[in-house]
Amino acid sequence: MFSEKMDLRLPGPVQVPREIQRAMLRSFDHPMMDYRNEAFQEVLKQAAEAAKKVFQTKNDVYLLCGSGASALETTMVNLAGPGDTVIICDIGYFGQYLIEIAAHLGLNVIRVSAPWGKVVDPDDLRQALANHPETKAVFATHCETSTGAINDIETLAGIVSATDAVFVVDAVSSIVGTPLYMDDWQIDVVAAGGQKALMLPPGIALVAVSQKAWDMMNNRQCASFYFDLKKYKELLPRRMTPYTPNIALVNGLLESCRMIEAAGGMEASYRRHACLREMTRSGVKALGLPLLVEDTSASPTLTSVVFDKMDADEFRRMMREDFHVALGGGLGALKGRLLRLGHMGYTDAADILKMLAALELALIRIGLNVQPGTGVAAAQHYWLDHPHC
């Protein structure tokens, strides 16, 4: 009976609102599928313009077909080539992702690392730049999706902006949910995907580029045909893309931006996600489960719970099959040892209460001494004092 019922409390993909589903379905109507006509070109123009508010920038935002990983590779292949030096801030699985992309491109990688669950020490980045003045670009994840740790991007950006290097931020799992001010913080490139707090299905990537970054890109030949941002820049004023766009997801993106604006804009979205984080963390702490990330570095979009009561992936299977709640698991070195609880995008307080209630029942089922309602009550008490979600 419930074979298609599932509450996605994942760190992405996320549940897609009906409003966005309807906007995407409209793209299958004639004449929208003819993406070179006036109807779709107007949607593309409005979506790219609306996305500027999401990135908190006056720079153009380019829309590409692909996941968040394609946005990251796009930024790297446009900025550097074989033998060039880049610094990568590595605090988890997706920091290592960036290192793998750089290895494929033949770049000379300088790592500034922190243990999983921790964040980069700004002094370490400052020292790396002093030791390697030839650095072309610095790459950092904002929210490390494998742990839920948030790097201090504002401070890191200030360090890089004092050099000739370009600062690139992986904002795939932070955009919309975590304060990020591209222009005010002097970030040069922001790369994101639609499948997290933007509430879209996977398949659209977004890249915003500053003038400092364009000055570097314009002086080199991009090694990629498809990901050459100069082609996207040339065609955007004509409301076109160089290759076939994902028509449905561009329509969905425009609706997503409209929904965010109608709900109070970016600051309201930041407050809502912060409230969801605190509800989740309050509930988990009340249940006596350890959190991977300290409060000061905790992501507003996902929470990692250290789970050693049994294999975490087996526990997740029980949550899916018995309670129809899908939780994320650990990646890489933390596989089988984490529950990653997503609270981003189309999520409100009631969703968190349901997740915590199901979590309590599952913990009792495996034999833990948990009093029903403990986690839920803690989350409720937080919300009563901070009703922002």
PDB file of all heavy atoms in Angstrom, residues 320-352:
ATOM      1  N   ARG A 320      13.568   3.359   6.244  1.00  0.00           N
ATOM      2  CA  ARG A 320      12.892   3.414   4.937  1.00  0.00           C
ATOM      3  C   ARG A 320      11.726   2.437   4.870  1.00  0.00           C
ATOM      4  O   ARG A 320      10.616   2.782   4.471  1.00  0.00           O
ATOM      5  CB  ARG A 320      13.877   3.111   3.807  1.00  0.00           C
ATOM      6  CG  ARG A 320      14.852   4.201   3.476  1.00  0.00           C
ATOM      7  CD  ARG A 320      15.513   3.958   2.115  1.00  0.00           C
ATOM      8  NE  ARG A 320      16.064   2.619   1.984  1.00  0.00           N
ATOM      9  CZ  ARG A 320      17.291   2.277   2.359  1.00  0.00           C
ATOM     10  NH1 ARG A 320      18.083   3.179   2.898  1.00  0.00           N
ATOM     11  NH2 ARG A 320      17.735   1.055   2.189  1.00  0.00           N
ATOM     12  N   GLU A 321      11.992   1.183   5.237  1.00  0.00           N
ATOM     13  CA  GLU A 321      11.002   0.137   5.021  1.00  0.00           C
ATOM     14  C   GLU A 321       9.864   0.177   6.023  1.00  0.00           C
ATOM     15  O   GLU A 321       8.702  -0.099   5.682  1.00  0.00           O
ATOM     16  CB  GLU A 321      11.694  -1.228   5.062  1.00  0.00           C
ATOM     17  CG  GLU A 321      12.676  -1.433   3.916  1.00  0.00           C
ATOM     18  CD  GLU A 321      13.362  -2.786   3.967  1.00  0.00           C
ATOM     19  OE1 GLU A 321      13.090  -3.560   4.923  1.00  0.00           O
ATOM     20  OE2 GLU A 321      14.162  -3.074   3.053  1.00  0.00           O
ATOM     21  N   ASP A 322      10.157   0.522   7.271  1.00  0.00           N
ATOM     22  CA  ASP A 322       9.129   0.462   8.317  1.00  0.00           C
ATOM     23  C   ASP A 322       8.438   1.794   8.564  1.00  0.00           C
ATOM     24  O   ASP A 322       7.278   1.823   8.985  1.00  0.00           O
ATOM     25  CB  ASP A 322       9.745  -0.032   9.627  1.00  0.00           C
ATOM     26  CG  ASP A 322      10.254  -1.459   9.528  1.00  0.00           C
ATOM     27  OD1 ASP A 322       9.965  -2.131   8.516  1.00  0.00           O
ATOM     28  OD2 ASP A 322      10.953  -1.902  10.458  1.00  0.00           O
ATOM     29  N   PHE A 323       9.148   2.886   8.331  1.00  0.00           N
ATOM     30  CA  PHE A 323       8.586   4.204   8.646  1.00  0.00           C
ATOM     31  C   PHE A 323       8.521   5.131   7.441  1.00  0.00           C
ATOM     32  O   PHE A 323       8.070   6.275   7.562  1.00  0.00           O
ATOM     33  CB  PHE A 323       9.398   4.858   9.771  1.00  0.00           C
ATOM     34  CG  PHE A 323       9.426   4.042  11.032  1.00  0.00           C
ATOM     35  CD1 PHE A 323      10.550   3.325  11.376  1.00  0.00           C
ATOM     36  CD2 PHE A 323       8.309   3.960  11.850  1.00  0.00           C
ATOM     37  CE1 PHE A 323      10.586   2.557  12.528  1.00  0.00           C
ATOM     38  CE2 PHE A 323       8.332   3.200  13.000  1.00  0.00           C
ATOM     39  CZ  PHE A 323       9.465   2.484  13.349  1.00  0.00           C
ATOM     40  N   HIS A 324       9.015   4.680   6.288  1.00  0.00           N
ATOM     41  CA  HIS A 324       8.943   5.450   5.044  1.00  0.00           C
ATOM     42  C   HIS A 324       9.624   6.809   5.173  1.00  0.00           C
ATOM     43  O   HIS A 324       9.148   7.820   4.659  1.00  0.00           O
ATOM     44  CB  HIS A 324       7.494   5.618   4.591  1.00  0.00           C
ATOM     45  CG  HIS A 324       6.714   4.343   4.650  1.00  0.00           C
ATOM     46  ND1 HIS A 324       6.974   3.279   3.818  1.00  0.00           N
ATOM     47  CD2 HIS A 324       5.711   3.947   5.482  1.00  0.00           C
ATOM     48  CE1 HIS A 324       6.155   2.283   4.109  1.00  0.00           C
ATOM     49  NE2 HIS A 324       5.384   2.662   5.116  1.00  0.00           N
ATOM     50  N   VAL A 325      10.750   6.816   5.882  1.00  0.00           N
ATOM     51  CA  VAL A 325      11.581   8.007   6.032  1.00  0.00           C
ATOM     52  C   VAL A 325      12.979   7.662   5.533  1.00  0.00           C
ATOM     53  O   VAL A 325      13.605   6.722   6.033  1.00  0.00           O
ATOM     54  CB  VAL A 325      11.647   8.481   7.498  1.00  0.00           C
ATOM     55  CG1 VAL A 325      12.613   9.661   7.629  1.00  0.00           C
ATOM     56  CG2 VAL A 325      10.263   8.863   8.000  1.00  0.00           C
ATOM     57  N   ALA A 326      13.456   8.382   4.538  1.00  0.00           N
ATOM     58  CA  ALA A 326      14.772   8.126   3.953  1.00  0.00           C
ATOM     59  C   ALA A 326      15.798   9.071   4.554  1.00  0.00           C
ATOM     60  O   ALA A 326      15.661  10.295   4.438  1.00  0.00           O
ATOM     61  CB  ALA A 326      14.729   8.296   2.435  1.00  0.00           C
ATOM     62  N   LEU A 327      16.809   8.498   5.204  1.00  0.00           N
ATOM     63  CA  LEU A 327      17.915   9.275   5.762  1.00  0.00           C
ATOM     64  C   LEU A 327      19.167   9.029   4.934  1.00  0.00           C
ATOM     65  O   LEU A 327      19.323   7.983   4.311  1.00  0.00           O
ATOM     66  CB  LEU A 327      18.188   8.858   7.217  1.00  0.00           C
ATOM     67  CG  LEU A 327      17.018   8.874   8.191  1.00  0.00           C
ATOM     68  CD1 LEU A 327      17.473   8.403   9.563  1.00  0.00           C
ATOM     69  CD2 LEU A 327      16.385  10.254   8.271  1.00  0.00           C
ATOM     70  N   GLY A 328      20.085  10.000   4.940  1.00  0.00           N
ATOM     71  CA  GLY A 328      21.359   9.822   4.256  1.00  0.00           C
ATOM     72  C   GLY A 328      22.325   9.022   5.114  1.00  0.00           C
ATOM     73  O   GLY A 328      22.206   8.972   6.347  1.00  0.00           O
ATOM     74  N   GLY A 329      23.290   8.379   4.456  1.00  0.00           N
ATOM     75  CA  GLY A 329      24.303   7.602   5.160  1.00  0.00           C
ATOM     76  C   GLY A 329      25.677   8.216   5.034  1.00  0.00           C
ATOM     77  O   GLY A 329      25.875   9.220   4.343  1.00  0.00           O
ATOM     78  N   GLY A 330      26.631   7.606   5.698  1.00  0.00           N
ATOM     79  CA  GLY A 330      28.002   8.083   5.632  1.00  0.00           C
ATOM     80  C   GLY A 330      28.641   7.801   4.289  1.00  0.00           C
ATOM     81  O   GLY A 330      28.281   6.848   3.597  1.00  0.00           O
ATOM     82  N   LEU A 331      29.600   8.630   3.917  1.00  0.00           N
ATOM     83  CA  LEU A 331      30.340   8.474   2.666  1.00  0.00           C
ATOM     84  C   LEU A 331      31.808   8.241   2.972  1.00  0.00           C
ATOM     85  O   LEU A 331      32.334   8.691   3.993  1.00  0.00           O
ATOM     86  CB  LEU A 331      30.190   9.724   1.800  1.00  0.00           C
ATOM     87  CG  LEU A 331      28.771  10.110   1.358  1.00  0.00           C
ATOM     88  CD1 LEU A 331      28.794  11.457   0.637  1.00  0.00           C
ATOM     89  CD2 LEU A 331      28.183   9.042   0.456  1.00  0.00           C
ATOM     90  N   GLY A 332      32.476   7.542   2.069  1.00  0.00           N
ATOM     91  CA  GLY A 332      33.924   7.375   2.189  1.00  0.00           C
ATOM     92  C   GLY A 332      34.323   6.762   3.513  1.00  0.00           C
ATOM     93  O   GLY A 332      33.838   5.692   3.910  1.00  0.00           O
ATOM     94  N   ALA A 333      35.190   7.445   4.236  1.00  0.00           N
ATOM     95  CA  ALA A 333      35.729   6.932   5.493  1.00  0.00           C
ATOM     96  C   ALA A 333      34.661   6.761   6.559  1.00  0.00           C
ATOM     97  O   ALA A 333      34.874   6.028   7.540  1.00  0.00           O
ATOM     98  CB  ALA A 333      36.817   7.875   6.001  1.00  0.00           C
ATOM     99  N   LEU A 334      33.516   7.392   6.402  1.00  0.00           N
ATOM    100  CA  LEU A 334      32.459   7.317   7.414  1.00  0.00           C
ATOM    101  C   LEU A 334      31.276   6.456   6.967  1.00  0.00           C
ATOM    102  O   LEU A 334      30.219   6.472   7.600  1.00  0.00           O
ATOM    103  CB  LEU A 334      31.974   8.724   7.774  1.00  0.00           C
ATOM    104  CG  LEU A 334      33.014   9.617   8.446  1.00  0.00           C
ATOM    105  CD1 LEU A 334      32.455  11.016   8.694  1.00  0.00           C
ATOM    106  CD2 LEU A 334      33.499   9.006   9.757  1.00  0.00           C
ATOM    107  N   LYS A 335      31.454   5.683   5.926  1.00  0.00           N
ATOM    108  CA  LYS A 335      30.369   4.817   5.439  1.00  0.00           C
ATOM    109  C   LYS A 335      29.987   3.813   6.522  1.00  0.00           C
ATOM    110  O   LYS A 335      30.840   3.175   7.132  1.00  0.00           O
ATOM    111  CB  LYS A 335      30.791   4.081   4.168  1.00  0.00           C
ATOM    112  CG  LYS A 335      29.687   3.216   3.570  1.00  0.00           C
ATOM    113  CD  LYS A 335      30.070   2.667   2.218  1.00  0.00           C
ATOM    114  CE  LYS A 335      28.994   1.744   1.668  1.00  0.00           C
ATOM    115  NZ  LYS A 335      27.672   2.398   1.584  1.00  0.00           N
ATOM    116  N   GLY A 336      28.692   3.682   6.751  1.00  0.00           N
ATOM    117  CA  GLY A 336      28.185   2.762   7.750  1.00  0.00           C
ATOM    118  C   GLY A 336      28.261   3.271   9.170  1.00  0.00           C
ATOM    119  O   GLY A 336      27.879   2.569  10.109  1.00  0.00           O
ATOM    120  N   ARG A 337      28.719   4.519   9.353  1.00  0.00           N
ATOM    121  CA  ARG A 337      28.929   5.053  10.699  1.00  0.00           C
ATOM    122  C   ARG A 337      28.163   6.343  10.966  1.00  0.00           C
ATOM    123  O   ARG A 337      28.236   6.886  12.057  1.00  0.00           O
ATOM    124  CB  ARG A 337      30.427   5.296  10.918  1.00  0.00           C
ATOM    125  CG  ARG A 337      31.273   4.030  10.845  1.00  0.00           C
ATOM    126  CD  ARG A 337      32.745   4.347  10.693  1.00  0.00           C
ATOM    127  NE  ARG A 337      33.214   5.263  11.718  1.00  0.00           N
ATOM    128  CZ  ARG A 337      34.383   5.929  11.635  1.00  0.00           C
ATOM    129  NH1 ARG A 337      35.168   5.772  10.566  1.00  0.00           N
ATOM    130  NH2 ARG A 337      34.744   6.735  12.610  1.00  0.00           N
ATOM    131  N   LEU A 338      27.451   6.838   9.960  1.00  0.00           N
ATOM    132  CA  LEU A 338      26.726   8.107  10.115  1.00  0.00           C
ATOM    133  C   LEU A 338      25.283   7.977   9.661  1.00  0.00           C
ATOM    134  O   LEU A 338      24.960   7.213   8.747  1.00  0.00           O
ATOM    135  CB  LEU A 338      27.365   9.211   9.272  1.00  0.00           C
ATOM    136  CG  LEU A 338      28.654   9.909   9.697  1.00  0.00           C
ATOM    137  CD1 LEU A 338      28.931  11.056   8.738  1.00  0.00           C
ATOM    138  CD2 LEU A 338      28.585  10.391  11.126  1.00  0.00           C
ATOM    139  N   LEU A 339      24.435   8.786  10.293  1.00  0.00           N
ATOM    140  CA  LEU A 339      23.123   9.119   9.759  1.00  0.00           C
ATOM    141  C   LEU A 339      23.194  10.589   9.364  1.00  0.00           C
ATOM    142  O   LEU A 339      23.501  11.443  10.203  1.00  0.00           O
ATOM    143  CB  LEU A 339      22.028   8.932  10.805  1.00  0.00           C
ATOM    144  CG  LEU A 339      21.898   7.543  11.447  1.00  0.00           C
ATOM    145  CD1 LEU A 339      20.822   7.575  12.529  1.00  0.00           C
ATOM    146  CD2 LEU A 339      21.588   6.483  10.404  1.00  0.00           C
ATOM    147  N   ARG A 340      22.951  10.878   8.111  1.00  0.00           N
ATOM    148  CA  ARG A 340      22.946  12.276   7.679  1.00  0.00           C
ATOM    149  C   ARG A 340      21.486  12.699   7.480  1.00  0.00           C
ATOM    150  O   ARG A 340      20.799  12.164   6.608  1.00  0.00           O
ATOM    151  CB  ARG A 340      23.764  12.465   6.404  1.00  0.00           C
ATOM    152  CG  ARG A 340      25.265  12.302   6.630  1.00  0.00           C
ATOM    153  CD  ARG A 340      26.065  12.642   5.373  1.00  0.00           C
ATOM    154  NE  ARG A 340      25.682  11.793   4.259  1.00  0.00           N
ATOM    155  CZ  ARG A 340      25.639  12.190   2.991  1.00  0.00           C
ATOM    156  NH1 ARG A 340      25.963  13.433   2.668  1.00  0.00           N
ATOM    157  NH2 ARG A 340      25.288  11.354   2.029  1.00  0.00           N
ATOM    158  N   LEU A 341      21.052  13.633   8.291  1.00  0.00           N
ATOM    159  CA  LEU A 341      19.661  14.067   8.308  1.00  0.00           C
ATOM    160  C   LEU A 341      19.524  15.359   7.503  1.00  0.00           C
ATOM    161  O   LEU A 341      20.083  16.388   7.878  1.00  0.00           O
ATOM    162  CB  LEU A 341      19.194  14.301   9.744  1.00  0.00           C
ATOM    163  CG  LEU A 341      19.577  13.211  10.777  1.00  0.00           C
ATOM    164  CD1 LEU A 341      19.039  13.584  12.160  1.00  0.00           C
ATOM    165  CD2 LEU A 341      19.081  11.847  10.353  1.00  0.00           C
ATOM    166  N   GLY A 342      18.798  15.298   6.407  1.00  0.00           N
ATOM    167  CA  GLY A 342      18.622  16.480   5.570  1.00  0.00           C
ATOM    168  C   GLY A 342      17.462  17.334   6.054  1.00  0.00           C
ATOM    169  O   GLY A 342      16.392  16.820   6.376  1.00  0.00           O
ATOM    170  N   HIS A 343      17.679  18.641   6.110  1.00  0.00           N
ATOM    171  CA  HIS A 343      16.611  19.573   6.486  1.00  0.00           C
ATOM    172  C   HIS A 343      16.735  20.832   5.636  1.00  0.00           C
ATOM    173  O   HIS A 343      16.890  21.937   6.147  1.00  0.00           O
ATOM    174  CB  HIS A 343      16.637  19.893   7.986  1.00  0.00           C
ATOM    175  CG  HIS A 343      18.007  19.978   8.599  1.00  0.00           C
ATOM    176  ND1 HIS A 343      18.817  21.090   8.512  1.00  0.00           N
ATOM    177  CD2 HIS A 343      18.708  19.063   9.309  1.00  0.00           C
ATOM    178  CE1 HIS A 343      19.946  20.877   9.161  1.00  0.00           C
ATOM    179  NE2 HIS A 343      19.922  19.650   9.650  1.00  0.00           N
ATOM    180  N   MET A 344      16.657  20.617   4.344  1.00  0.00           N
ATOM    181  CA  MET A 344      16.835  21.727   3.402  1.00  0.00           C
ATOM    182  C   MET A 344      15.684  21.777   2.417  1.00  0.00           C
ATOM    183  O   MET A 344      14.950  20.809   2.224  1.00  0.00           O
ATOM    184  CB  MET A 344      18.155  21.574   2.641  1.00  0.00           C
ATOM    185  CG  MET A 344      18.196  20.374   1.711  1.00  0.00           C
ATOM    186  SD  MET A 344      19.780  20.195   0.837  1.00  0.00           S
ATOM    187  CE  MET A 344      20.787  19.413   2.093  1.00  0.00           C
ATOM    188  N   GLY A 345      15.550  22.932   1.786  1.00  0.00           N
ATOM    189  CA  GLY A 345      14.576  23.066   0.718  1.00  0.00           C
ATOM    190  C   GLY A 345      13.148  23.090   1.215  1.00  0.00           C
ATOM    191  O   GLY A 345      12.802  23.846   2.124  1.00  0.00           O
ATOM    192  N   TYR A 346      12.325  22.232   0.652  1.00  0.00           N
ATOM    193  CA  TYR A 346      10.881  22.220   0.926  1.00  0.00           C
ATOM    194  C   TYR A 346      10.615  21.462   2.224  1.00  0.00           C
ATOM    195  O   TYR A 346      10.019  20.380   2.234  1.00  0.00           O
ATOM    196  CB  TYR A 346      10.162  21.571  -0.257  1.00  0.00           C
ATOM    197  CG  TYR A 346       8.680  21.852  -0.339  1.00  0.00           C
ATOM    198  CD1 TYR A 346       8.198  23.158  -0.384  1.00  0.00           C
ATOM    199  CD2 TYR A 346       7.764  20.804  -0.426  1.00  0.00           C
ATOM    200  CE1 TYR A 346       6.841  23.409  -0.486  1.00  0.00           C
ATOM    201  CE2 TYR A 346       6.403  21.051  -0.534  1.00  0.00           C
ATOM    202  CZ  TYR A 346       5.944  22.349  -0.561  1.00  0.00           C
ATOM    203  OH  TYR A 346       4.598  22.603  -0.677  1.00  0.00           O
ATOM    204  N   THR A 347      11.067  22.043   3.326  1.00  0.00           N
ATOM    205  CA  THR A 347      11.008  21.403   4.644  1.00  0.00           C
ATOM    206  C   THR A 347      10.510  22.408   5.663  1.00  0.00           C
ATOM    207  O   THR A 347      10.934  23.567   5.661  1.00  0.00           O
ATOM    208  CB  THR A 347      12.415  20.909   5.056  1.00  0.00           C
ATOM    209  OG1 THR A 347      12.921  20.019   4.052  1.00  0.00           O
ATOM    210  CG2 THR A 347      12.377  20.186   6.390  1.00  0.00           C
ATOM    211  N   ASP A 348       9.607  21.958   6.540  1.00  0.00           N
ATOM    212  CA  ASP A 348       9.137  22.828   7.602  1.00  0.00           C
ATOM    213  C   ASP A 348       9.252  22.120   8.948  1.00  0.00           C
ATOM    214  O   ASP A 348       9.760  20.994   9.039  1.00  0.00           O
ATOM    215  CB  ASP A 348       7.712  23.315   7.331  1.00  0.00           C
ATOM    216  CG  ASP A 348       6.684  22.180   7.283  1.00  0.00           C
ATOM    217  OD1 ASP A 348       7.008  21.045   7.694  1.00  0.00           O
ATOM    218  OD2 ASP A 348       5.550  22.433   6.830  1.00  0.00           O
ATOM    219  N   ALA A 349       8.775  22.786  10.002  1.00  0.00           N
ATOM    220  CA  ALA A 349       8.923  22.253  11.354  1.00  0.00           C
ATOM    221  C   ALA A 349       8.261  20.894  11.509  1.00  0.00           C
ATOM    222  O   ALA A 349       8.798  19.995  12.177  1.00  0.00           O
ATOM    223  CB  ALA A 349       8.342  23.251  12.361  1.00  0.00           C
ATOM    224  N   ALA A 350       7.093  20.721  10.911  1.00  0.00           N
ATOM    225  CA  ALA A 350       6.381  19.445  11.039  1.00  0.00           C
ATOM    226  C   ALA A 350       7.180  18.292  10.444  1.00  0.00           C
ATOM    227  O   ALA A 350       7.111  17.158  10.941  1.00  0.00           O
ATOM    228  CB  ALA A 350       5.003  19.548  10.387  1.00  0.00           C
ATOM    229  N   ASP A 351       7.924  18.558   9.371  1.00  0.00           N
ATOM    230  CA  ASP A 351       8.763  17.507   8.784  1.00  0.00           C
ATOM    231  C   ASP A 351       9.823  17.045   9.769  1.00  0.00           C
ATOM    232  O   ASP A 351      10.136  15.852   9.859  1.00  0.00           O
ATOM    233  CB  ASP A 351       9.439  18.017   7.508  1.00  0.00           C
ATOM    234  CG  ASP A 351       8.453  18.300   6.392  1.00  0.00           C
ATOM    235  OD1 ASP A 351       7.529  17.494   6.194  1.00  0.00           O
ATOM    236  OD2 ASP A 351       8.603  19.333   5.719  1.00  0.00           O
ATOM    237  N   ILE A 352      10.405  17.995  10.503  1.00  0.00           N
ATOM    238  CA  ILE A 352      11.433  17.636  11.483  1.00  0.00           C
ATOM    239  C   ILE A 352      10.820  16.833  12.625  1.00  0.00           C
ATOM    240  O   ILE A 352      11.404  15.831  13.092  1.00  0.00           O
ATOM    241  CB  ILE A 352      12.119  18.908  12.031  1.00  0.00           C
ATOM    242  CG1 ILE A 352      12.741  19.712  10.883  1.00  0.00           C
ATOM    243  CG2 ILE A 352      13.174  18.537  13.073  1.00  0.00           C
ATOM    244  CD1 ILE A 352      13.735  18.961  10.035  1.00  0.00           C
TER     245      ILE A 352
END
